[in-house]
Amino acid sequence: MNIQQLVLASHNTGKLKELQAMLGGGITLRSVGEFSSAEPEETGLSFVENAILKARNAARLSGLPALADDSGLAVDYLGGAPGIYSARYAGGQGDSANNAKLLDALRGVPSAQRGAQFVCVLALVRHASDPLPILCEGLWQGRILEVARGDHGFGYDPLFWVPERECSSAELSPAEKNQLSHRARAMALLRERLGLA
Ligand SMILES: O=c1nc[nH]c2c1ncn2[C@H]1C[C@H](O)[C@@H](COP(=O)(O)OP(=O)(O)OP(=O)(O)O)O1
Ligand SMILES: [Mg+2]
């Protein structure tokens, strides 16, 4: 498939920056925000379903092939929560409320039981009713810190300890995060699928 322009089915500027950096200059990512400010309801029960739903919506609005990223944080001690509900964990009040709620939920839980993984599913549809979306996933294992550290990135980055670098993911430079993250892993697979690798 030869794609020059893709619409990114996301209103999250953190994702847009990371995904554009990973894709490089060959493909221009345009935000679905150029076409509509309405966000589709994420009614799926899985990352895959929500990614496809967002991609179809953006393809319909833009008339362009669309890429969606559905991602989140699955915490072992919480049975995989907040998972697909990560963005809405504290009722849609934003990242700092989500982080505060997560710290509360894990208060007093020892380090060995604070394992977690970031999950990213990328879905690419050629058009709104594409019967065969391309799906790629990436996981990133870490641990939930007891206090926030670092100010790069977005979302839960300040609470996510990256064992292979011994820092939080908000303490990584954007370039380092883009080599290690769940999103980076999913994007590496997508690049292979598109023949860009
Ligand atoms: O690299 C990451 N570093 C930190 N936090 C992250 C990351 N990746 C996902 N996350 C968190 C943010 C949000 O709480 C949820 C994604 O929710 P998700 O619905 O996929 O994205 P969103 O609502 O922010 O934007 P949109 O749906 O328009 O793409 O997981
Ligand atoms: Mg969302």
Side-chain angles (χ1 to χ4, degrees), residues 51-65:
I52 292 174
L53 168 161
K54 289 190 277 189
R56 290 200 195 288
N57 177 65
R60 187 175 47 74
L61 288 167
S62 65
L64 291 170

Side-chain angles (χ1 to χ4, degrees), residues 22-155:
M22 291 171 200
L23 267 175
I27 296 181
T28 304
L29 269 188
R30 294 174 61 180
S31 169
V32 68
E34 286 180 43
F35 303 93
S36 169
S37 59
E39 296 192 31
E41 222 192 312
E42 297 181 24
T43 54
L45 291 178
S46 63
F47 294 102
V48 167
E49 290 165 280
N50 284 337
I52 292 174
L53 168 161
K54 289 190 277 189
R56 290 200 195 288
N57 177 65
R60 187 175 47 74
L61 288 167
S62 65
L64 291 170
L67 176 67
D69 168 314
D70 200 59
S71 45
L73 181 67
V75 179
D76 299 342
Y77 186 82
L78 303 177
I84 60 165
Y85 304 106
S86 294
R88 300 165 264 174
Y89 187 43
Q93 297 176 74
D95 290 343
S96 46
N98 288 339
N99 285 355
K101 181 168 176 181
L102 181 60
L103 282 179
D104 268 352
L106 296 181
R107 198 158 309 274
V109 175
S111 158
Q113 291 175 56
R114 299 176 75 98
Q117 57 188 338
F118 270 130
V119 179
C120 175
V121 170
L122 295 175
L124 188 135
V125 297
R126 297 143 183 99
H127 55 83
S129 53
D130 189 342
L132 193 58
I134 297 175
L135 294 168
C136 299
E137 71 172 47
L139 303 177
W140 197 17
Q141 306 289 341
R143 204 155 49 67
I144 304 303
L145 286 161
E146 287 174 25
V147 283
R149 291 175 52 157
D151 44 30
H152 295 294
F154 65 94

Side-chain angles (χ1 to χ4, degrees), residues 10-12 15 42 54 71 87 154 156-157 177 182-183:
S10 177
H11 294 270
N12 180 321
K15 289 183 184 178
E42 297 181 24
K54 289 190 277 189
S71 45
F154 65 94
Y156 296 93
D157 281 329
K177 184 183 171 194
H182 51 315
R183 187 162 294 107

Side-chain angles (χ1 to χ4, degrees), residues 6-7 9 18 21 43 74 152 172:
L6 268 179
V7 63
E18 292 184 8
T43 54
H152 295 294
L172 294 172

